Structure formats: C-alpha cells, structure tokens
Amino acid sequence: MKSAPIAALFKRPRIGRRLAVLTASLLVISVCIAVFKTVGFGTDPCSTFTLGVSARTGVSFGTCQLVFNLLMFLPVIRFDLSRIGIGTIANMAGVGYAADVCMGLMAAVTPPGGFSMAARVLLFVPSMAAFLVAAAFYVAADLGVAPYDAIPQLAAARTSRLSARSVRMLWDISILSAGFLLGSTVGLTTLITGFCLGPAIAFVSGRVEPWFR
C-alpha cells in the first residue's frame, strides 16, 4: 500500500525525541526567517520566492508558503510517497505562518528608521548560525523532507545527465531568480545558505544520528 511508507515513519526508534527535535527546529527556522526579512540581507531561495509573491499579491507570507508547498507536494505524492512524513506536513503548513507571527513581533520592536547596520549584523550572525543548525537537525530527525527539497531529489533520481548537486543548484537558482524578479532581496543570507547548508547538514547529522537510534 502507498500509505505504508508514511505509517513506517511513526514506528521509527526514538519517535518522541524525533518529534521534539522536529518541532524545535521548525520554530527556530521560523524565527530566523523573520530576522532575515527584518535585517534585509536576503533569505533562503524558497523564502525569497514566497516573500516576493507575498509582496506582489498582498497575501501573507504563510499563505503563499503553504500554496507553493501544496503545488510542489502534488508530484511528491504522485511519484514517491516515501519522502512524505509528519515533517513534510509540519514544514509546509507551519513554518510560513509561524514566521508571519515572528515578523509581526520583529516589526513591533524595529525602530522607525530601521535597525542600524551594527544591530542588523548582530541580529544576523547568531540567526544565520541558528538557521543552519536547525535545518540540519530537521533533516537529522528524518521524519520526511520538505516539498521544496523533495522536488530536486525526485528530478535527480530520474536523470542520469546531471548529478544530484547540479539538479539542486539549478532548482535553487531558478526559484531564487524568480523571487528576485518579484522584488525580493538577494544577499548574504542567500549566499551562505546556498554554500553552507549542505556541509552544515552533513556535519550535524553525523554527530547527532546516535540520538535517534
């Protein structure tokens, strides 16, 4: 049955610990996205696109994120249900709306003229580190991948002409370019997530994997 891979996720060892790590990771990612938006150094490719759509349409970031994820969810359902889990649903339905709340809180404490450059950097540096670690823990919890991440994985599995890394780079660049054309900021955050997220996931996953056995 196609539902078997999903059911198997709930029979994983240390499921309580996995769910706790999943929840904490997604909350941290949401806060970091709000900080990235506030300091103006860009965001990750997926958020860059959905923030651009939100700015153009007036629809909340959370709703744009949900709709975009739902569209990407369809081919995942069609071709590989093994990639779907509670982490998939929590990511697509929760991160955007949690980030909306955090953006509202950030707006309430932002000075009328905006934060100074020094304050923006002080906010950015720990947020960037927290984002990389939280994203790595999200992957390490292994309860399903985000629809955005599943699409290039599906594409890479169905082509022999390009490596998985090349497919992922093309995917990120395409989404990022669309976000830029929609008016989103592309900056330091974008570069760091593009070059450092993969190594951060590998580094953290290798060290925390025993926690989930």
Side-chain angles (χ1 to χ4, degrees):
M1 294 178 63
K2 286 189 174 183
S3 60
I6 301 175
L9 287 172
F10 292 92
K11 298 178 181 178
R12 309 291 296 282
R14 305 285 186 179
I15 186 62
R17 183 173 295 179
R18 290 174 189 270
L19 289 171
V21 168
L22 171 70
T23 302
S25 299
L26 293 180
L27 286 174
V28 171
I29 288 171
S30 301
V31 173
C32 292
I33 290 173
V35 174
F36 295 155
K37 173 67 166 54
T38 301
V39 300
F41 294 148
T43 56
D44 61 281
C46 183
S47 298
T48 297
F49 175 74
T50 47
L51 282 169
V53 174
S54 176
R56 291 277 183 167
T57 62
V59 177
S60 74
F61 171 71
T63 300
C64 290
Q65 190 89 329
L66 176 60
V67 172
F68 184 43
N69 275 292
L70 284 172
L71 291 174
M72 293 185 291
F73 196 50
L74 297 176
V76 181
I77 294 174
R78 170 65 178 83
F79 293 109
D80 193 351
L81 272 176
S82 68
R83 300 178 191 275
I84 297 173
I86 186 64
T88 308
I89 307 302
N91 186 298
M92 62 189 286
V95 170
Y97 289 113
D100 274 339
V101 173
C102 295
M103 287 178 195
L105 295 174
M106 289 294 297
V109 300
T110 301
F115 289 108
S116 66
M117 178 57 72
R120 291 164 65 196
V121 171
L122 287 174
L123 286 168
F124 170 76
V125 173
S127 297
M128 187 74 258
F131 180 87
L132 292 174
V133 173
F137 269 96
Y138 170 79
V139 173
D142 195 21
L143 291 175
V145 301
Y148 179 87
D149 298 316
I151 295 298
Q153 292 176 6
L154 288 172
R158 284 163 173 74
T159 180
S160 58
R161 295 183 179 182
L162 296 173
S163 66
R165 178 175 295 182
S166 297
V167 172
R168 178 59 191 244
M169 287 180 62
L170 288 171
W171 172 243
D172 282 340
I173 290 171
S174 299
I175 297 300
L176 183 64
S177 299
F180 178 73
L181 292 174
L182 287 168
S184 287
T185 301
V186 174
L188 186 59
T189 305
T190 316
L191 292 174
I192 292 176
T193 53
F195 286 101
C196 299
L197 187 55
I201 290 172
F203 179 82
V204 172
S205 296
R207 283 156 179 76
V208 304
E209 185 181 356
W211 297 7
F212 303 113
R213 292 175 183 167

